[in-house]
Amino acid sequence: MIILPMLLTVLGKHIIYCCNDSSRKFKASGVLLLDTSKSLFPGYLYVAEPRDVITALQRPMLSENLVFFTTGDIPGLRELAEKSSATVCVTDLSLVALHNELFRCLEIYKEWRDALVGKSSGGIFSLLQAGGTLADASLYLLNIQHEVVAGSTKPEYGELLRYVIDYNQTIISEDVKKLFSLLDEQEPFAYTKGEEGINLCVLPVQDGNDTLGYLFAASKHELNLLKQILFLISIEVAELLSKSDSFKKGRISFQNLAQDLFSKEQPEHLEALQMRIQRLPRPPKKYMRCIVVRPHSSFLYNMNKIATEFESIFPSDNVGVLEDELIILLSSDYSTCPLSCELSELDDLLKKYEAYAVISNPSKTARGIRIMYLQCKGVFDVVLKVRYQINERYFFFERFMPYYIVHLCAHQAKEAFGTDDIVFLSHPGVLAVTRYDRTNNSDLRDVLFTYLLNRCSISRTAQALYMHRNTVIYKINKIEEILGRPMDDPYLRFALIFSCMLIRYRENYQNEHVQL
């Protein structure tokens, strides 16, 4: 498949005018000299004298997929061409020169396509890598918000692009932003000169009249050649993206997207999912986070009814149901991605349905938000069993991230050592305190944990544990006696907190007696 602008780029200054759909995509099987006495077949480029083209255009029931190239202009040709459904391109070349140039182009395009088509099976990222190599360019796929979805960067262009694309892979250069305003139907390609003579180019990726995204390229390659290669790559990218019905039907439901993005199996094309996110009824802003909600029993409640109520407090966000869970995708222009509702309002609704919620960290990409969801899902049961002095029904993942790390350690230990007992990772001082508690029926480990969480404040610890201040002082002195050292070393304090979490995980989540 090729599109006419590829050929028009090659013919360049030899083009006098072109009538009808110059952006039409078609399969070019070869170049034929027009014989007005024979049938005409779509899929070929016909080369002819102007009079022969007029004769062909006057045929009844002329196929709209025909493409003619002429060797000049004569009166009446343009008027007839504009009334027909065929594409007519008028040049100032001779018949032999025109035929040879078009034939040469088709042969080159076939070689280029062969170099790309095998890579398209590996997804958009593999295709961009192959396209970048072919075009000798750094090549990126942008969504309709002009943010990078996937790309392939040439190492030698890294320094030159440092002021064009930021470390988060978002186009920030004003020079690049101006390129999008230069695109139009007559010239679906725009470029500017960057530093040290590098060409910065933008080309829409289209499926019919729908713009699915943009190709952005940075290269020192000769501009016309780069332009042709980008047109060819855009065809392959559009075919990959348009395989998903969501790109053909416009806006898609979050329900369908969530089923693909949060499936147990790794999605094949996360780049396509990234672009599907921007086609939601409520397109997310720059930063996203998800909230995973689980009612106490999904059998007691209608999950769709619950979803409707959550939509009322998250009116600008996307809400969907996945089996026994509710997924809320919220977003913000700020990297902190604050919630769009009051936490008290969220807590009240969770209480109504005896539900709990884990709120993920923010991310900018489909890949990131999928990982955040899986982290929330993985830590959900752990949170409910090891939570410490928290009365709310919502939990931020960042608050319980150390427990998730412990959770991962337990799985890795099972694989590496044949046991999921992670107590061997604990600081020996915490094990000694635990041993003392068992022998003396005391609560020193809980005091230690609370004391460390409250930044070693005696008054805050006493308040949290409902203890007298002198009692806390006595117990802290006893703990330091068991540890054999004061707790003024920040590394020691971190090790002690983490070790307390390890043992809490072992006792409360794994329901195993800690072997001392």
Side-chain angles (χ1 to χ4, degrees):
M1 301 293 290
I2 64 171
I3 52 178
L4 197 58
M6 297 167 66
L7 300 173
L8 300 184
T9 299
V10 176
L11 297 178
K13 60 184 181 181
H14 297 291
I15 301 292
I16 299 175
Y17 61 82
C18 188
C19 295
N20 298 332
D21 190 0
S22 62
S23 61
R24 180 182 297 167
K25 185 189 303 183
F26 57 91
K27 183 177 181 180
S29 302
V31 184
L32 296 178
L33 294 174
L34 178 62
D35 185 343
T36 55
S37 65
K38 295 183 179 181
S39 299
L40 302 178
F41 302 99
Y44 289 91
L45 306 178
Y46 285 97
V47 177
E49 299 288 347
R51 296 184 189 280
D52 291 332
V53 173
I54 286 180
T55 301
L57 292 176
Q58 290 172 335
R59 288 186 179 188
M61 305 298 291
L62 190 70
S63 172
E64 64 178 14
N65 294 320
L66 291 172
V67 181
F68 299 99
F69 286 84
T70 77
T71 58
D73 188 23
I74 58 175
L77 175 58
R78 185 164 193 158
E79 181 181 359
L80 188 59
E82 290 177 346
K83 291 180 180 179
S84 76
S85 57
T87 298
V88 179
C89 184
V90 178
T91 77
D92 61 5
L93 292 171
S94 68
L95 196 64
V96 173
L98 181 57
H99 179 279
N100 290 348
E101 190 64 15
L102 292 174
F103 181 82
R104 183 186 68 83
C105 289
L106 293 188
E107 289 298 303
I108 292 175
Y109 296 158
K110 184 178 183 302
E111 291 180 12
W112 288 350
R113 189 173 186 279
D114 289 343
L116 293 174
V117 72
K119 302 296 183 181
S120 63
S121 60
I124 289 177
F125 182 74
S126 298
L127 180 61
L128 293 178
Q129 284 185 314
T133 300
L134 184 64
D136 189 29
S138 290
L139 186 60
Y140 306 90
L141 175 63
L142 280 57
N143 61 22
I144 54 177
Q145 278 71 39
H146 308 157
E147 296 174 338
V148 174
V149 175
S152 174
T153 304
K154 287 182 66 67
E156 56 266 41
Y157 292 164
E159 187 63 25
L160 293 176
L161 294 177
R162 193 158 59 92
Y163 300 104
V164 176
I165 303 176
D166 69 0
Y167 72 97
N168 279 325
Q169 293 288 277
T170 303
I171 298 270
I172 56 174
S173 168
E174 291 301 320
D175 289 338
V176 174
K177 290 179 182 178
K178 292 176 183 177
L179 289 178
F180 295 97
S181 64
L182 301 177
L183 296 171
D184 56 43
E185 294 181 1
Q186 283 68 42
E187 183 57 42
F189 178 85
Y191 79 97
T192 188
K193 283 286 185 182
E195 294 183 6
E196 298 185 26
I198 194 168
N199 291 310
L200 304 176
C201 314
V202 171
L203 179 72
V205 176
Q206 295 179 311
D207 181 31
N209 294 325
D210 293 334
T211 297
L212 306 181
Y214 300 89
L215 286 177
F216 169 68
S219 175
K220 292 185 177 180
H221 219 305
E222 191 271 316
L223 189 60
N224 275 352
L225 192 58
L226 176 62
K227 186 176 178 181
Q228 294 175 68
I229 296 174
L230 285 181
F231 275 125
L232 187 61
I233 295 171
S234 73
I235 296 172
E236 300 299 321
V237 171
E239 288 187 4
L240 281 179
L241 295 180
S242 62
K243 288 178 181 178
S244 169
D245 287 341
S246 62
F247 288 98
K248 298 176 182 177
K249 296 178 181 177
R251 296 297 180 193
I252 63 171
S253 73
F254 177 64
Q255 186 76 35
N256 293 336
L257 172 65
Q259 288 172 349
D260 293 338
L261 181 59
F262 302 133
S263 63
K264 294 180 181 179
E265 301 296 327
Q266 175 74 16
E268 290 186 8
H269 303 301
L270 279 169
E271 309 93 346
L273 289 173
Q274 177 74 33
M275 300 191 73
R276 285 175 61 185
I277 286 176
Q278 303 304 328
R279 301 179 71 84
L280 289 169
R282 303 180 182 96
K285 298 173 183 175
K286 188 172 183 179
Y287 296 94
M288 301 172 286
R289 72 160 91 215
C290 67
I291 304 177
V292 182
V293 179
R294 284 187 193 170
H296 175 67
S297 175
S298 59
F299 297 104
L300 297 178
Y301 303 109
N302 183 316
M303 292 296 288
N304 290 323
K305 178 179 181 297
I306 298 177
T308 301
E309 290 208 40
F310 273 88
E311 283 180 336
S312 68
I313 66 172
F314 293 100
S316 60
D317 300 308
N318 293 279
V319 180
V321 177
L322 287 183
E323 298 179 353
D324 60 345
E325 292 179 341
L326 196 68
I327 310 297
I328 304 165
L329 183 70
L330 53 91
S331 65
S332 171
D333 288 324
Y334 301 99
S335 59
T336 54
C337 199
L339 269 63
S340 54
C341 74
E342 294 293 333
L343 286 173
S344 59
E345 195 175 8
L346 172 62
D347 196 50
D348 289 342
L349 193 52
L350 292 171
K351 288 176 181 176
K352 177 179 179 179
Y353 291 104
E354 300 180 82
Y356 290 94
V358 177
I359 305 168
S360 81
N361 288 341
S363 177
K364 292 174 63 177
T365 65
R367 176 177 177 273
I369 207 67
R370 171 179 164 79
I371 292 173
M372 299 305 170
Y373 163 78
L374 294 175
Q375 288 177 342
C376 289
K377 193 177 179 69
V379 82
F380 212 112
D381 291 331
V382 180
V383 168
L384 296 182
K385 291 183 178 181
V386 304
R387 58 197 170 122
Y388 191 75
Q389 296 178 343
I390 293 181
N391 297 319
E392 293 84 3
R393 287 180 169 266
Y394 58 85
F395 311 97
F396 284 90
F397 175 81
E398 62 193 38
R399 165 69 175 78
F400 287 88
M401 182 170 57
Y403 282 111
Y404 187 65
I405 295 172
V406 172
H407 191 56
L408 295 178
C409 287
H411 285 285
Q412 182 62 30
K414 183 72 172 178
E415 183 177 334
F417 310 123
T419 176
D420 61 358
D421 186 351
I422 38 74
V423 175
F424 62 85
L425 293 173
S426 299
H427 188 281
V430 174
L431 297 179
V433 171
T434 304
R435 190 179 298 112
Y436 181 91
D437 281 345
R438 287 188 185 175
T439 303
N440 297 278
N441 194 27
S442 60
D443 60 354
L444 294 187
R445 197 184 74 208
D446 285 344
V447 172
L448 169 64
F449 192 39
T450 307
Y451 176 70
L452 294 170
L453 291 180
N454 284 280
R455 293 179 289 175
C456 300
S457 167
I458 297 295
S459 60
R460 281 195 291 266
T461 304
Q463 185 178 6
L465 295 176
Y466 301 100
M467 284 184 182
H468 192 278
R469 176 184 175 86
N470 290 341
T471 304
V472 173
I473 293 173
Y474 169 79
K475 292 189 176 189
I476 293 301
N477 289 336
K478 188 62 181 178
I479 290 169
E480 291 187 335
E481 179 185 325
I482 295 171
L483 294 175
R485 57 189 294 194
M487 290 180 284
D488 53 1
D489 180 356
Y491 288 99
L492 173 62
R493 292 197 298 269
F494 172 79
L496 295 176
I497 291 175
F498 189 68
S499 298
C500 287
M501 289 181 167
L502 282 168
I503 295 178
R504 288 180 64 82
Y505 176 89
R506 182 67 173 168
E507 292 176 340
N508 298 323
Y509 178 72
Q510 293 182 326
N511 296 317
E512 294 288 345
H513 188 71
V514 176
Q515 299 296 324
L516 299 173

